[in-house]
Amino acid sequence: LSAKIRTGFHNTNAFEDSIRLLNDEGVEMITVHGRTRDMMYKEPAVWKYIEKAVKISQVPIIGNGDIWDVKDINLMMTETGCHGVMIARGALKTPWMAKNYRQGKFHENDRERLDHIKEFFSEYRAHLEAENISERGLMKQTKSVSRYMFDGIEGGESIRKHILLAQSAHSIYSVLNQL
């Protein structure tokens, strides 16, 4: 049994008590998201709370918050001493991040990233079509999944705009096939 918590709701006053309580109640692992609920995503995650949890917990702590690339995984583990990392929005940007981490690939240039995106969407489309998704569904799903993928790529905003404004799945995949 595991639990995932934030550092608090409005403030962090009960954070350490929450970690101790979860330990006392028998959870086997705790994931700590380094933000309060009120912070939403307006502020960076505060990793010092993950480090604090590692120091007071008797069970493994998984760090979560602002993991956007492989370098962030190593940085969080080094800075906090956490036992593992949970990736959320970063996995939407780079679904192949775990593979890159295992392969020790710490940097992707734009060309490599675009090749990964093209390969990802080719497989994604084949999977959705095998599930007999409608044309409209394919278009909606592809637009939704592509939300973060073009962040940080030169010309990425233009690619994202073309995808979001496309009126058919064919138009979207024409853009993706030209990457």
Side-chain angles (χ1 to χ4, degrees):
L1 178 67
S2 66
K4 180 182 182 214
I5 65 170
R6 288 179 171 267
T7 58
F9 196 88
H10 300 301
N11 58 56
T12 60
N13 295 344
F15 176 72
E16 290 184 32
D17 290 339
S18 296
I19 297 295
R20 288 186 184 98
L21 176 65
L22 289 168
N23 274 258
D24 292 346
E25 294 302 324
V27 298
E28 298 167 272
M29 179 173 67
I30 303 168
T31 298
V32 176
H33 182 83
R35 291 185 179 87
T36 64
R37 172 64 175 94
D38 284 352
M39 287 170 70
M40 296 294 292
Y41 299 110
K42 296 177 261 181
E43 300 175 42
V46 183
W47 291 358
K48 74 177 182 177
Y49 288 99
I50 298 166
E51 179 182 16
K52 189 177 288 190
V54 168
K55 289 178 180 173
I56 64 175
S57 179
Q58 302 302 307
V59 300
I61 298 296
I62 306 301
N64 178 237
D66 290 336
I67 302 296
W68 291 102
D69 59 35
V70 173
K71 291 179 287 203
D72 293 334
I73 295 170
N74 285 329
L75 190 61
M76 178 183 276
M77 293 189 63
T78 301
E79 286 186 11
T80 69
C82 65
H83 302 85
V85 172
M86 176 184 277
I87 306 166
R89 291 176 299 149
L92 297 174
K93 177 182 177 185
T94 311
W96 51 90
M97 190 185 316
K99 184 166 95 178
N100 283 359
Y101 178 76
R102 279 192 222 103
Q103 293 175 348
K105 186 171 177 97
F106 293 91
H107 179 72
E108 254 182 345
N109 64 39
D110 284 358
R111 180 69 264 152
E112 291 169 323
R113 182 159 185 74
L114 289 169
D115 289 344
H116 272 120
I117 291 169
K118 187 175 180 178
E119 178 183 349
F120 172 85
F121 277 110
S122 175
E123 292 174 16
Y124 187 65
R125 181 180 190 175
H127 171 75
L128 291 175
E129 288 175 341
E131 297 293 321
N132 294 316
I133 194 166
S134 68
E135 166 83 8
R136 185 168 184 256
L138 178 60
M139 188 172 67
K140 282 181 68 174
Q141 287 297 110
T142 303
K143 286 181 179 187
S144 176
V145 170
S146 70
R147 179 176 177 189
Y148 296 106
M149 284 199 182
F150 299 97
D151 289 356
I153 296 174
E154 187 176 332
E157 196 56 43
S158 175
I159 297 167
R160 181 183 5 257
K161 182 179 176 183
H162 280 90
I163 289 171
L164 294 177
L165 294 176
Q167 298 298 307
S168 69
H170 175 77
S171 297
I172 292 171
Y173 282 89
S174 290
V175 171
L176 292 168
N177 288 331
Q178 293 175 25
L179 295 179

